[in-house]
Amino acid sequence: MPFEPFYERFRDLAIKETRNITIFEGHPTLPADEYGLVELYCNDENCDCRRVIFNVLSKNRNDYVAVIGYGWESANFYRQWTSRKDPEVVRELQGPILNPLSPQSELAPALLELMRELVLKDPLYVARLNRHYQMFKEKVDPKHFRKPGAAKQSVSEKPKSKKRKRRS
C-alpha cells in the first residue's frame, strides 16, 4: 500500500483543512510547539483500506516527529477486509497506532496519546478524514470509487419513472 500526501492532489483544500495542534508551555508530556497533521492516503487502485497515515510535523523542529496510522471503520470491517482473524492485525489496521515501519521521535508516544484522547474523538474531524479519503480514492480510481449517483446520465437516456399500479 503506497501512501501519498493528500496535498499532492488537493493542494488548496489541504492548506485549508489540515488540522494543526498548538501545545502551550506547561503541557505534561509535549513541548510547546505547533504540530501539523499531514494526511496521507493509499494510492493503490485495488485497495479500499479506509485508513489515513498522519505524518506529524513539528513547526519548531521543521521535521516529522511521529507517523500514526488510523482506520475509522469497525474492527469487523478490517477483519473482513484483511481476511485475517488475528486481533493484533485488526487492531493495527484500525489504530490509532505508531506506524511500526516508520521512524519515530521521542515525542511519538505522547502524540499518539493526544491523537487517541483528543483529535480522533472529534466526529466532525473523523468525518472530514473519511471525505478526504473518498475524494482521494475517486481521483486515483474513479471507476471503483465514484459515489453513488455521481455518474452522469447521457442526454439521450431518459430517467426511468416508477409506475403506480392502478387499483380497480
Side-chain angles (χ1 to χ4, degrees):
M1 282 187 273
F3 282 78
E4 178 181 334
F6 183 71
Y7 65 77
E8 291 289 335
R9 294 178 188 251
F10 299 96
R11 186 168 213 66
D12 293 340
L13 187 62
I15 289 168
K16 181 181 167 188
E17 292 190 353
T18 295
R19 177 71 52 107
N20 290 297
I21 303 168
T22 303
I23 301 294
F24 297 102
E25 287 294 331
H27 189 276
T29 57
L30 289 167
D33 199 347
E34 192 171 318
Y35 301 95
L37 305 181
V38 179
E39 299 168 28
L40 291 87
Y41 295 99
C42 175
N43 64 11
D44 181 343
E45 290 179 2
N46 300 311
C47 180
D48 188 18
C49 59
R50 302 182 194 177
R51 299 183 74 236
V52 60
I53 300 291
F54 296 102
N55 280 347
V56 183
L57 179 65
S58 161
K59 184 176 181 180
N60 290 343
R61 293 185 186 192
N62 194 30
D63 200 5
Y64 294 106
V65 291
V67 182
I68 298 171
Y70 173 67
W72 52 87
E73 294 291 351
S74 68
N76 190 47
F77 170 86
Y78 294 105
R79 252 189 309 281
Q80 291 176 1
W81 179 77
T82 189
S83 70
R84 292 180 63 187
K85 306 302 180 217
D86 183 348
E88 184 62 22
V89 170
V90 171
R91 189 188 71 72
E92 287 178 5
L93 287 169
Q94 194 173 23
I97 185 170
L98 294 175
N99 189 359
L101 301 177
S102 300
Q104 307 285 355
S105 78
E106 76 283 1
L107 302 177
L111 287 162
L112 175 64
E113 190 61 24
L114 185 69
M115 293 290 287
R116 183 180 285 128
E117 297 302 320
L118 180 67
V119 177
L120 297 172
K121 286 193 175 179
D122 177 353
L124 294 176
Y125 182 62
V126 173
R128 179 190 297 174
L129 296 173
N130 193 335
R131 180 173 49 88
H132 286 182
Y133 173 83
Q134 184 67 37
M135 291 170 63
F136 190 89
K137 294 304 272 190
E138 284 178 17
K139 273 275 203 215
V140 169
D141 186 9
K143 180 179 175 185
H144 293 105
F145 287 95
R146 181 172 283 144
K147 290 181 184 176
K152 295 181 182 178
Q153 280 185 327
S154 67
V155 177
S156 63
E157 186 181 356
K158 292 182 180 178
K160 295 178 182 176
S161 63
K162 294 181 181 177
K163 294 182 180 181
R164 291 185 184 175
K165 291 184 179 179
R166 283 191 154 171
R167 292 186 187 199
S168 341

